[in-house]
Amino acid sequence: MEPSLSTEQPTAPTHFIHKIIEEDLAAGKNDGRVHTRFPPEPNGYLHIGHAKSICLNFGLAQEFGGQCNLRFDDTNPVKEEEEFVDSIKEDVKWLGFDWADREFYASDYFGQLYEWAVQLIKAGKAYVEDLSADEIREYRGTLSEPGKNSPHRDRPIKENLNLFEDMKKGKFPDGAKVLRAKIDMASHNMNMRDPVLYRILHAEHHRTGSDWRIYPMYDWAHGQSDSIEGITHSICTLEFEDHRSLYDWCLDALGVYHPRQYEFARLNLTYTVLSKRKLIQLVTEKHVSGWDDPRMPTISGLRRRGFTAAAIRDFCERIGVAKANSTVDLSLLEFCLREELNKTARRVMAVLRPLKVVLTNYPEGQVEDLEAQNNPEDPDAGHRTIPFSRELYIEQEDFMEDPPKKFFRLAPGKEVRLKHAYIIQCQEVIKNNKGEVTELHCTYDPESKSGGPTAGRKVKGTLHWVSVLHAVTAEVRLYDHLFSEIEPDKIEIPESLNPNSLETITDCQLEPSLKDAKPGERFQFLRMGYFIADQKDSKSGAPIFNRTTPLRDTWAKIQKKG
Ligand code: ATP
Ligand code: MG
């Protein structure tokens, strides 16, 4: 059995956002409603960091009997695509969450957002700016110095209205003008120094086509979208803390329903990049086979690697929700998966790097069907039979000609048990003319089978094996960290990449029951780890397996040391 930490590792305590909602409900705020949203920008596939936000937003809504919207924050037509929208929907669903009919798009609100911008101009709270992006930056000042007012800041309202309308009509080229909020060029918060609300972009939008020649900035779109949807708790990551004053300012200036923004720490993982820019780079520069490459930290990559939605949700629960940034050990994610698969995955035998064994005292042509338990952790998983015969494969690494003292596997003269079968003893080592071991000649103890007179005889090691005659040859893909650095963000791609992150073995030998593994079916290959029949490349009858994770539990070790 695998070491289990479930009793030592309490699940995360209720976090600060949870407490805020409880207090709000107790105080009768929002008429007792809890309404959250998950607002991805459709400019890439979702990753494990997004899963944290999804579990938080959908989880809170579930817990408090509220609702969570799926809202695509699609305000940047240049980087957004329908493919990303589809993948995001698939991934949120797969994670086990449901937005019912509340699939929204910031682009659905472009008309309303424009009218609100006009309202702001009419109130003297926004103006059209002619300065270039560089000039705006110069005028903005620094953290230690206040900014300067733009020469266009006091443009008459009428002129602002006309210019903004002309911007909308496409009369100016990209970058010629922007609309800015008129707030305070001396504010200690840089976001309040007359932030840009609209920019000109002559680009096709994946939903609105060429209807719009101006597009709202995040700060103008986000809070107002929250307001339109009646969001009560708008939860985002810490880097938006400094945007909260602007979020509040916009809603107050318009005098519309005012949701509240709360910030939490984003997930960082060891050996992993979660920045979308870098994930896009991995895909476009073909360092991986695509967004769903099993080495990617994307939801689709993790799914293909063999992770389950339950394990990802469990992980998100355990890491908790805090106000301070930190980095989580990647092995915790693997730990959560092993906790589940240990109980659910059928245990089978597969030899990844075969070495042939001939049992010289086993009758030629004889085949025995041995009974094997599918999972000792799950009595309902039942039994299957495995054929045993005179010629077998064992794992190359389970034999050493000249072993060190504590090598409890096979060596000349040594005995081991074959799982579900007999005790064998190594009598002779056969080599080729290069001196490589090609075959072992062993004898078996016919009375050592389960139920036999010497079944209880103690030998130190137990090996997995498959019968040569019955084995299924298959491709198996072994994965290691995509990055060799624990903090890969500190180094550029490709220098940060692990050159050995994928090893493909084409002639693995599997027990016959694996021949018809269905794509997506998960197994424990005894002693070798958890594996999944690849959902893209594997076919029933011709399986291809991905190793999800080895059995070794580094998280358990870290816990013991700590
Ligand atoms: P990037 O900054 O890499 O482009 P993003 O945060 O802009 O990513 P979005 O699509 O805008 O990506 O994110 C949607 C939601 O997911 C946001 O509310 C964001 O705060 C949250 N999110 C993104 N990354 C993480 C993370 N690593 N941990 C927790 N939440 C995250
Ligand atoms: Mg974002």
Side-chain angles (χ1 to χ4, degrees):
M1 202 190 80
E2 269 193 73
S4 162
L5 285 178
S6 56
T7 49
E8 300 164 32
Q9 259 264 315
T11 50
T14 42
H15 49 77
F16 74 100
I17 299 178
H18 195 275
K19 292 212 181 86
I20 288 170
I21 296 182
E22 275 179 334
E23 283 162 17
D24 286 353
L25 289 175
K29 282 192 193 163
N30 305 309
D31 308 319
R33 284 187 313 117
V34 174
H35 204 148
T36 56
R37 85 286 171 266
F38 171 64
E41 184 182 349
N43 61 349
Y45 279 56
L46 295 182
H47 54 61
I48 181 77
H50 291 116
K52 177 179 180 178
S53 176
I54 292 167
C55 290
L56 178 60
N57 280 296
F58 280 94
L60 286 168
Q62 258 170 15
E63 188 180 344
F64 290 102
Q67 294 185 320
C68 180
N69 296 355
L70 176 62
R71 183 198 314 144
F72 292 97
D73 196 356
D74 56 349
T75 53
N76 183 358
V78 184
K79 293 183 174 168
E80 294 158 6
E81 284 173 34
E82 210 53 40
E83 177 197 349
F84 298 136
V85 169
D86 294 339
S87 74
I88 288 169
K89 289 200 280 190
E90 184 184 353
D91 289 349
V92 176
K93 258 187 230 155
W94 179 77
L95 279 172
F97 298 105
D98 182 9
W99 56 91
D101 56 353
R102 296 179 312 281
E103 175 181 327
F104 299 127
Y105 294 80
S107 57
D108 293 343
Y109 312 139
F110 281 173
Q112 174 71 77
L113 292 170
Y114 177 80
E115 279 168 36
W116 274 337
V118 170
Q119 181 184 330
L120 218 55
I121 296 171
K122 285 182 177 162
K125 291 178 179 171
Y127 61 97
V128 172
E129 174 66 276
D130 298 349
L131 294 182
S132 69
D134 284 340
E135 287 166 326
I136 291 176
R137 208 170 303 121
E138 274 167 41
Y139 274 71
R140 188 171 282 138
T142 62
L143 282 173
S144 52
E145 274 171 59
K148 281 188 297 186
N149 284 354
S150 159
H152 310 109
R153 198 172 199 259
D154 294 318
R155 233 194 254 278
I157 288 174
K158 188 97 206 324
E159 194 180 320
N160 279 320
L161 287 172
N162 289 336
L163 285 171
F164 189 49
E165 196 179 338
D166 286 346
M167 282 168 65
K168 177 178 181 252
K169 284 181 180 159
K171 291 200 179 166
F172 308 112
D174 288 5
K177 298 189 188 316
V178 291
L179 183 75
R180 296 178 77 173
K182 193 193 272 192
I183 309 180
D184 177 7
M185 289 305 291
S187 173
H188 64 275
N189 182 342
M190 299 291 279
N191 292 301
M192 299 297 271
R193 295 186 185 175
D194 291 8
V196 174
L197 304 182
Y198 268 95
R199 57 182 172 154
I200 300 171
L201 259 183
H202 293 262
E204 290 288 300
H205 187 279
H206 72 116
R207 283 175 68 87
T208 61
S210 54
D211 291 355
W212 292 89
R213 307 282 75 160
I214 54 171
Y215 289 93
M217 304 299 289
Y218 170 88
D219 287 311
W220 184 246
H222 203 82
Q224 278 64 263
S225 301
D226 285 344
S227 176
I228 292 168
E229 293 176 16
I231 300 303
T232 55
H233 300 81
S234 176
I235 304 167
C236 59
T237 42
L238 277 184
E239 62 286 11
F240 291 100
E241 196 166 16
D242 288 343
H243 292 245
R244 196 193 325 127
S245 318
L246 179 53
Y247 182 98
D248 291 335
W249 182 92
C250 294
L251 292 165
D252 288 341
L254 294 172
V256 294
Y257 166 72
H258 193 148
R260 294 290 156 191
Q261 176 184 305
Y262 301 94
E263 307 89 21
F264 71 102
R266 62 168 52 230
L267 171 69
N268 301 300
L269 266 183
T270 56
Y271 296 105
T272 308
V273 302
L274 294 179
S275 134
K276 244 185 250 171
R277 182 181 67 78
K278 293 212 169 172
L279 295 178
I280 290 168
Q281 188 186 354
L282 288 171
V283 174
T284 52
E285 292 179 4
K286 297 197 178 351
H287 300 295
V288 292
S289 63
W291 285 97
D292 66 351
D293 185 298
R295 293 165 293 177
M296 289 283 273
T298 50
I299 304 299
S300 51
L302 291 167
R303 177 164 62 232
R304 214 174 143 194
R305 176 79 168 260
F307 280 80
T308 64
I312 294 174
R313 290 195 304 264
D314 179 31
F315 170 76
C316 291
E317 177 92 9
R318 284 169 191 266
I319 56 176
V321 177
K323 264 265 176 212
N325 277 314
S326 64
T327 300
V328 175
D329 202 302
L330 181 59
S331 58
L332 177 61
L333 180 59
E334 290 163 2
F335 169 81
C336 293
L337 183 75
R338 288 195 197 94
E339 284 276 283
E340 182 186 350
L341 295 186
N342 181 47
K343 295 181 211 120
T344 57
R346 185 144 66 85
R347 297 184 191 182
V348 296
M349 296 202 282
V351 174
L352 303 188
R353 296 176 184 84
L355 171 62
K356 195 170 176 182
V357 168
V358 179
L359 301 178
T360 50
N361 62 337
Y362 194 90
E364 283 196 50
Q366 178 172 307
V367 178
E368 278 176 272
D369 279 328
L370 302 177
E371 184 163 273
Q373 208 178 353
N374 285 330
N375 187 348
E377 298 287 310
D378 175 10
D380 295 335
H383 293 76
R384 70 189 183 290
T385 57
I386 314 171
F388 186 87
S389 66
R390 185 180 152 92
E391 295 195 350
L392 309 169
Y393 290 119
I394 64 165
E395 208 70 60
Q396 281 170 21
E397 63 180 26
D398 282 338
F399 172 79
M400 272 181 96
E401 196 171 10
D402 190 13
K405 225 170 167 198
K406 294 218 161 145
F407 186 78
F408 297 129
R409 307 181 207 175
L410 205 55
K414 287 274 162 56
E415 278 191 319
V416 292
R417 174 174 290 283
L418 297 180
K419 182 75 180 172
H420 304 305
Y422 299 94
I423 292 171
I424 63 166
Q425 185 173 35
C426 178
Q427 308 292 356
E428 197 185 342
V429 181
I430 315 293
K431 295 180 183 173
N432 61 16
N433 52 17
K434 283 186 252 163
E436 296 159 347
V437 178
T438 54
E439 202 173 293
L440 302 176
H441 286 181
C442 301
T443 50
Y444 84 115
D445 171 359
E447 307 205 313
S448 61
K449 190 164 78 163
S450 169
T454 59
R457 198 151 67 77
K458 289 265 181 295
V459 288
K460 279 261 165 68
T462 301
L463 308 186
H464 61 279
W465 54 273
V466 296
S467 162
V468 170
L469 200 60
H470 306 89
V472 176
T473 304
E475 177 175 319
V476 171
R477 300 161 182 174
L478 304 180
Y479 300 100
D480 195 357
H481 299 147
L482 184 53
F483 295 93
S484 39
E485 301 293 325
I486 191 162
E487 288 179 277
D489 271 325
K490 295 201 164 153
I491 304 169
E492 281 309 308
I493 298 168
E495 286 73 33
S496 52
L497 289 169
N498 172 8
N500 304 314
S501 59
L502 168 62
E503 182 186 358
T504 303
I505 312 177
T506 52
D507 60 346
C508 298
Q509 302 296 325
L510 320 180
E511 67 165 72
S513 75
L514 286 170
K515 182 158 196 270
D516 298 314
K518 288 189 272 306
E521 208 177 343
R522 296 179 180 84
F523 300 90
Q524 183 189 123
F525 289 0
L526 282 178
R527 302 174 66 230
M528 304 317 281
Y530 292 104
F531 292 74
I532 185 169
D534 190 75
Q535 290 157 75
K536 259 193 178 165
D537 302 335
S538 189
K539 288 181 189 64
S540 185
I544 294 177
F545 288 94
N546 300 329
R547 177 151 73 185
T548 310
T549 161
L551 293 177
R552 182 176 47 101
D553 192 339
T554 48
W555 178 250
K557 274 188 213 136
I558 290 167
Q559 290 297 94
K560 269 189 204 130
K561 268 192 235 153

